[in-house]
Amino acid sequence: MKQLSMRNYGLLALAALVGSLLVVSVAFAAVTPKPKLSFFKGGGATIGWTTVGGSGPHDTTGNIDSIQIDTLTSGVSFAGAYTWGKDEAANSIVGRSLAEVQRLGFDSKGYLGAGAPRISLITHDTNTNFDHTFFLAASYCNAGADPSAWVTSDFINDADCVIWGPNGANAGWSTVVANFPNDVVTDWFLIVDEAPATTYVDSLTVQDFGWVRSGANGIVKCQVNLGCTN
């Protein structure tokens, strides 16, 4: 009976240990989710992951995927990507002041228009109670670049990027931060709304995560600047 009791005690202790590990594992998963990227489209446009355009220079995962966006009719077609709900919360850019945003950008090729591809960043001024929209377009980081080759738009760290906001043109992210010290991020989305055009986007990077291909394995944790790693 004594041996049986000791054995039962050991089993109970092991079960308790496994249970505690499961709780820790679940808790860890809860605070480090991978935010899913969602797509939207209209006016006959298409969007999706494809291998046609290959991968951009900041995708070091070894895959050959990128987002392909086809817009057909000027003034009608549009398509893009965003996070929402729990995925937006996991990404953690929403609620940050502009000074706290550390990574925002993408690699692109195929089309380099006046205002697309771009990230539209929506903010709220906690002092004036006004909402603002900032337009972060690839062409204003890559003036004169060849659109048939990959170009990088690192809106936070590239001082040559011109960012358009409610006050007009801002020379670099530091100028945006200085001009709008009370703004906090409320939303963001990638969009191509110029046509006709075929655009490829890779290493779409928003604060703590980047997207380099479809599925959970294509969601990568960002470490420095525009670069990301699993």
Side-chain angles (χ1 to χ4, degrees):
M1 291 294 292
K2 184 176 181 180
Q3 288 181 340
L4 181 60
S5 297
M6 291 296 292
R7 181 175 180 273
N8 287 344
Y9 178 82
L11 290 174
L12 287 173
L14 178 60
L17 176 60
V18 171
S20 66
L21 289 176
L22 287 174
V23 169
V24 171
S25 176
V26 170
F28 181 77
V31 298
T32 57
K34 286 187 171 184
K36 177 185 176 182
L37 190 67
S38 298
F39 295 148
F40 63 90
K41 61 184 179 179
T46 60
I47 181 172
W49 289 100
T50 177
T51 60
V52 175
S55 289
H58 284 92
D59 183 353
T60 60
T61 63
N63 79 86
I64 56 172
D65 296 45
S66 56
I67 301 170
Q68 180 175 338
I69 303 172
D70 289 296
T71 48
L72 306 178
T73 307
S74 179
V76 176
S77 297
F78 63 90
Y82 67 112
T83 53
W84 65 282
K86 63 180 179 61
D87 294 301
E88 189 161 67
N91 185 265
S92 81
I93 191 172
V94 170
R96 287 178 180 259
S97 69
L98 295 180
E100 293 173 322
V101 177
Q102 299 164 304
R103 288 168 289 273
L104 198 58
F106 52 83
D107 293 328
S108 63
K109 77 171 183 177
Y111 181 76
L112 198 61
R118 73 174 183 274
I119 290 175
S120 289
L121 189 71
I122 318 302
T123 65
H124 181 75
D125 189 322
T126 58
N127 184 43
T128 65
N129 209 33
F130 289 146
D131 293 331
H132 297 146
T133 301
F134 296 89
F135 302 103
L136 292 72
S139 60
Y140 284 96
C141 287
N142 300 278
D146 179 4
S148 66
W150 284 101
V151 297
T152 297
S153 302
D154 185 350
F155 299 106
I156 305 301
N157 300 288
D158 186 349
D160 292 330
C161 290
V162 176
I163 298 167
W164 290 84
N167 64 330
N170 295 271
W173 185 253
S174 61
T175 305
V176 174
V177 171
N179 288 336
F180 298 90
N182 300 304
D183 279 35
V184 296
V185 178
T186 58
D187 202 3
W188 75 274
F189 55 90
L190 169 78
I191 188 169
V192 176
D193 53 1
E194 298 176 8
T198 295
T199 309
Y200 300 97
V201 174
D202 197 18
S203 296
L204 173 59
T205 304
V206 180
Q207 190 50 36
D208 291 332
F209 288 91
W211 295 270
V212 296
R213 63 173 175 170
S214 63
N217 290 335
I219 307 170
V220 291
K221 181 76 173 178
C222 291
Q223 301 296 324
V224 293
N225 298 340
L226 197 61
C228 295
T229 181
N230 281 320

